[in-house]
């Protein structure tokens, strides 16, 4: 007795999609199973049109692009073989993602700031101004001669600025040596020393505008006298001229003379008295 072999129930065809939603123009994988004993081609249909095809297989998959013109909604799709078997599923078309326009950052490159070099002005050190103060003469002196009156035209040659004239003695007697030292002249300038309307010295300034010269008076009177150095500018110094005091000797002589005069007068009186007797 033969036993009957029970019939094996066939699996119903099915189809799925991954992902199950997406915007139009995106891609999705369609997977089917349960398609038996058929040959030919498998088709994925979308809204009445063939979306994708693949060689027949009982179980298989194919990747397709969701139609670009599909509006956001839920759509039905089917997988069919040439034997008439089919299975369907749903796919949701979502709105397209918002278009975000990102502008590139604006990069502004500023040129480097270059500060100009700081220039320090040179420091000029001027020599100190030497002021010579001549003390008043202790001996009686005659007023300066008319030739010593300052001449406005001579003093106005040039402002002496930082120049100075120094005499090595403040008080001399006729015939004494006197030396003048000066600064502030133009370098290499001719220097003429004048006093009492006469030239009393002559020299040349060195490269630094300094000079040194003896002062020789041809004739000079007692009193205060100015010595001018002319070298493009005018430098002025003062010197007092005095005479040796002889009052002590003169007084002694006068006393002796007076003594003899008194003695003579006494003798004469005695003689006149003897004659009267």
């Amino acid at each position: 007795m033969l036993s009957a072999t029970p019939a094996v129930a066939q699996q119903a065809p099915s189809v799925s999609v991954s992902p199950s939603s997406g915007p139009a123009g995106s891609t999705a994988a369609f997977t089917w199973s349960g398609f038996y004993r058929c040959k030919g081609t498998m088709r994925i249909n979308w809204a009445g049109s063939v979306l994708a095809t693949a060689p027949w297989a009982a179980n298989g998959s194919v990747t397709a692009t969701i139609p670009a013109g599909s509006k956001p909604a839920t759509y039905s799709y089917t997988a069919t073989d040439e034997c008439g078997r089919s299975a369907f599923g749903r796919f949701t078309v979502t709105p397209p993602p918002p278009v975000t326009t990102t502008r590139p950052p604006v990069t502004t490159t500023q040129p480097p700031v270059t500060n100009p070099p700081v220039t320090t002005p040179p420091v000029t050190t001027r020599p100190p101004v030497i002021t010579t103060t001549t003390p008043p003469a202790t001996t009686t002196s005659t007023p300066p001669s008319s030739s010593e009156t300052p001449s406005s035209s001579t003093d106005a040659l040039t402002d002496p600025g930082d120049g100075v004239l120094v005499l090595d003695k403040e008080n001399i007697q006729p015939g004494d040596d006197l030396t003048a030292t000066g600064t502030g002249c133009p370098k290499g300038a001719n220097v003429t020393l004048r006093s009492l309307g006469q030239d009393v010295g002559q020299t040349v300034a060195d490269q630094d505008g300094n000079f040194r010269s003896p002062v020789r008076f041809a004739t000079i009177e007692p009193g205060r006298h100015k010595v001018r150095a002319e070298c493009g500018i005018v430098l002025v110094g003062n010197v007092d001229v005095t005479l040796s005091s002889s009052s002590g000797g003169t007084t002694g002589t006068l006393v002796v003379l007076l003594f003899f005069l008194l003695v003579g007068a006494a003798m004469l009186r005695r003689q006149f008295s003897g004659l009267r007797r």
Side-chain angles (χ1 to χ4, degrees):
M1 181 174 177
L2 298 174
S3 61
T5 303
V8 178
Q10 294 183 352
Q11 179 182 358
S14 63
V15 64
S16 63
V17 62
S18 179
S20 60
S21 63
S26 62
T27 58
F30 294 87
T31 302
W32 65 86
S33 62
F35 289 84
Y36 298 103
R37 293 192 298 272
C38 192
K39 303 294 184 182
T41 302
M42 290 296 297
R43 294 182 178 84
I44 302 299
N45 301 310
W46 177 280
S49 299
V50 177
L51 182 63
T53 60
W56 181 89
N59 304 306
S61 66
V62 64
T63 300
T65 300
I66 305 302
S70 301
K71 296 181 178 181
T74 299
Y75 291 83
S76 296
Y77 63 88
T78 60
T80 61
D81 60 10
E82 294 185 356
C83 296
R85 295 184 181 90
S86 64
F88 76 95
R90 296 181 183 277
F91 184 90
T92 302
V93 176
T94 59
V99 178
T100 303
T101 303
T102 303
R103 294 183 179 181
V106 178
T107 303
T108 303
T109 304
Q110 297 182 350
V113 178
T114 303
N115 295 325
V118 178
T119 303
T120 303
V123 179
T124 302
T125 303
R126 295 185 174 182
V129 178
I130 301 174
T131 303
T132 303
T133 303
T134 304
T138 57
T139 59
T140 305
S141 60
T142 58
S145 61
S146 59
S147 60
E148 200 58 32
T149 303
S151 172
S152 59
S153 60
T154 302
D155 292 343
L157 288 177
T158 306
D159 182 4
D162 293 330
V164 65
L165 178 66
V166 178
L167 302 175
D168 64 341
K169 297 177 182 177
E170 298 177 355
N171 192 300
I172 63 172
Q173 296 183 6
D176 289 349
D177 293 334
L178 182 65
T179 301
T181 303
T183 62
C185 293
K187 64 178 182 178
N190 292 324
V191 181
T192 300
L193 300 173
R194 301 180 187 276
S195 181
L196 300 173
Q198 57 180 316
D199 293 348
V200 295
Q202 190 80 26
T203 187
V204 177
D206 60 15
Q207 294 298 315
D208 296 325
N210 303 327
F211 66 88
R212 182 182 179 86
S213 173
V215 180
R216 297 184 179 89
F217 295 97
T219 58
I220 192 169
E221 299 176 357
R224 176 165 291 190
H225 299 279
K226 289 185 178 179
V227 178
R228 291 184 175 83
E230 300 177 2
C231 59
I233 63 175
V234 176
L235 307 175
V236 180
N238 295 320
V239 64
D240 289 323
V241 179
T242 61
L243 297 177
S244 298
S245 175
S246 58
S247 59
T250 303
T251 303
T253 303
L254 292 175
V255 170
V256 173
L257 291 175
L258 181 59
F259 175 76
F260 283 108
L261 289 175
L262 292 175
V263 171
M267 293 178 65
L268 288 175
R269 286 181 181 178
R270 288 179 181 178
Q271 290 179 2
F272 282 117
S273 297
L275 290 176
R276 289 179 181 177
R277 290 177 183 176

